[in-house]
Amino acid sequence: MSEEIKQYDVLVIGCGPAGMTAALYTSRAALSVLILERGVRGGELLNTAEVENYPGFPSIQGPDLATSMYEGAMRFGADYAYGNVKAIHPGQPYHTIETDTATYQAKAIVIATGSTHRLLDVPGEADYAGRGVSYCAVCDGAFFKDGKLIVVGGGDSAVEEGAYLTQYAKQVTIVHRRDQLRAQAILQERAFANEKIDFTWDAQVQEILGDGQKVTGVRIVKKDGSSYVEDCDGVFIYIGLLPNQAGFDDLGITDEEGWVITDENMLTKVPGIFAAGDIRQKKLRQISTAVGDGGQAGQEAYNYIQSL
Ligand code: FAD
């Protein structure tokens, strides 16, 4: 006997800030809505100790913000289910969505799957994540006032975020595995002119060291094989973000790196399929921008369904 396929007006993939906001807007507009999440509801908020730059909350713990966003989003009757989306088959009026355990149909889809930070994959990185190891200068830089920081990477993000960190830190050392940066020329010029930034070339962070509570240093290995310990208060890792695109990478809606391309209404090139939050091709990946995207996508999903 074939399993019954549940149908919804809107299916939201991912229960981070973008997905929760899209669910709030669409369920409040009296649409039937399902959020599918493959992990724990809250998305990257769960990896954030303190949030100081989300309007309305001078300071809030990421998990607390996740809980209150989730309660707000579910108030108007949206459903929530576990599901790791593996495939989307576009159609009209219903798209079909396959997870590892079930199949659903929905008239509109909001992809809000976010991104994953590329990890250094060295000892100490996981142990001190959130206790000196960070992937977000805008989020965590203020915690390192007058500190000494190591930034790992050589691209735009490493150099731009390294410069941003100098407004808090007394010294920022950019550790790069090559002998020159990959960042845009103008960013390089600014970094070289910044007295608080210095560079360690042809070097890799081999291990992140700590006292059990927080980061105290890194072990650096040079291209010639020599290694030494550099004391520091924090390590910011910018070796790239990876889009969580596995469930829809055959739809042709991403750029060459896997970020979803939308118009300003969050619509992809497939009618009825929208994207919101960090998964989009965009410059600023933050809670506020994810929430803004989610509201826009939700409203456009509503408009799309009315037009069918
Ligand atoms: P996410 O929060 O990444 O949520 C995406 C969700 O989709 C995840 O729960 C994931 O499990 C799920 N998902 C992915 N693929 C699938 C799939 N195939 N099927 C089902 N579910 C799927 N921003 C700020 O504004 N202020 C801060 O202070 C701040 N601090 C940060 C600190 C850290 C350590 C980190 C990592 C980020 C921080 N950010 C901060 C950034 C902020 O968390 C993100 O910009 C925001 O969470 C993006 O929201 P999102 O909904 O787009 O994606």
Side-chain angles (χ1 to χ4, degrees):
M1 198 173 78
S2 69
E3 195 189 327
E4 189 196 348
I5 296 177
K6 282 196 183 161
Q7 290 186 330
Y8 287 87
D9 291 322
V10 181
L11 190 141
V12 178
I13 309 172
C15 193
M20 290 191 275
T21 310
L24 169 63
Y25 273 65
T26 46
S27 58
R28 190 163 177 267
L31 300 175
S32 61
V33 179
L34 172 67
I35 310 180
L36 284 177
E37 169 59 54
R38 71 177 178 187
V40 182
R41 61 199 184 207
E44 289 287 11
L45 292 182
L46 301 177
N47 297 324
T48 309
E50 191 169 9
V51 176
E52 290 181 325
N53 60 356
Y54 187 64
F57 300 89
S59 172
I60 185 166
Q61 297 294 304
D64 293 343
L65 184 56
T67 300
S68 98
M69 269 193 196
Y70 179 74
E71 287 169 1
M74 304 311 280
R75 215 153 40 109
F76 298 99
D79 287 345
Y80 174 91
Y82 164 81
N84 188 6
V85 172
K86 300 280 194 192
I88 295 174
H89 306 289
Q92 245 195 3
Y94 283 98
H95 307 293
T96 301
I97 302 96
E98 286 176 28
T99 74
D100 43 2
T101 52
T103 302
Y104 301 90
Q105 289 189 321
K107 293 175 186 167
I109 296 173
V110 178
I111 296 170
T113 51
S115 65
T116 306
H117 292 96
R118 204 187 284 273
L119 301 177
L120 254 189
D121 202 17
V122 297
E125 183 179 21
D127 298 336
Y128 291 104
R131 298 191 295 156
V133 173
S134 174
Y135 306 86
C136 178
V138 175
C139 323
D140 298 330
F143 300 121
F144 295 94
K145 195 152 174 19
D146 296 327
K148 178 172 173 357
L149 299 177
I150 299 286
V151 170
V152 186
D156 286 354
S157 297
V159 175
E160 206 162 19
E161 301 301 309
Y164 176 88
L165 288 168
T166 60
Q167 67 185 296
Y168 304 110
K170 69 170 182 247
Q171 193 194 346
V172 172
T173 300
I174 296 181
V175 177
H176 188 37
R177 62 193 167 131
R178 303 190 198 288
D179 62 0
Q180 54 185 346
L181 300 170
R182 277 184 295 110
Q184 297 168 43
I186 189 164
L187 297 176
Q188 295 197 31
E189 279 168 30
R190 284 186 200 147
F192 292 139
N194 189 324
E195 288 177 355
K196 286 188 171 180
I197 299 181
D198 58 30
F199 297 86
T200 301
W201 304 109
D202 290 325
Q204 301 197 42
V205 169
Q206 193 181 43
E207 185 178 2
I208 296 170
L209 307 164
D211 60 9
Q213 299 296 317
K214 59 181 186 338
V215 166
T216 56
V218 290
R219 182 177 305 283
I220 290 176
V221 60
K222 301 276 290 178
K223 204 176 180 179
D224 63 12
S226 61
S227 77
Y228 60 96
V229 171
E230 177 97 34
D231 291 344
C232 66
D233 302 296
V235 185
F236 283 75
I237 299 165
Y238 289 106
I239 53 172
L241 284 177
L242 301 171
N244 292 331
Q245 49 141 348
F248 49 87
D249 48 4
D250 57 347
L251 283 187
I253 58 173
T254 66
D255 64 16
E256 65 281 359
E257 291 178 4
W259 305 106
V260 178
I261 299 168
T262 71
D263 66 12
E264 64 181 18
N265 293 322
M266 310 300 141
L267 178 62
T268 68
K269 70 179 189 187
V270 182
I273 299 186
F274 302 83
D278 281 9
I279 187 61
R280 284 181 60 227
Q281 184 192 63
K282 68 192 318 199
K283 281 195 170 166
L284 183 63
R285 294 193 165 89
Q286 290 278 278
I287 304 163
S288 57
T289 57
V291 162
D293 287 0
Q296 187 72 47
Q299 184 60 31
E300 291 304 322
Y302 172 81
N303 292 340
Y304 169 78
I305 289 169
Q306 299 312 304
S307 75
L308 286 176

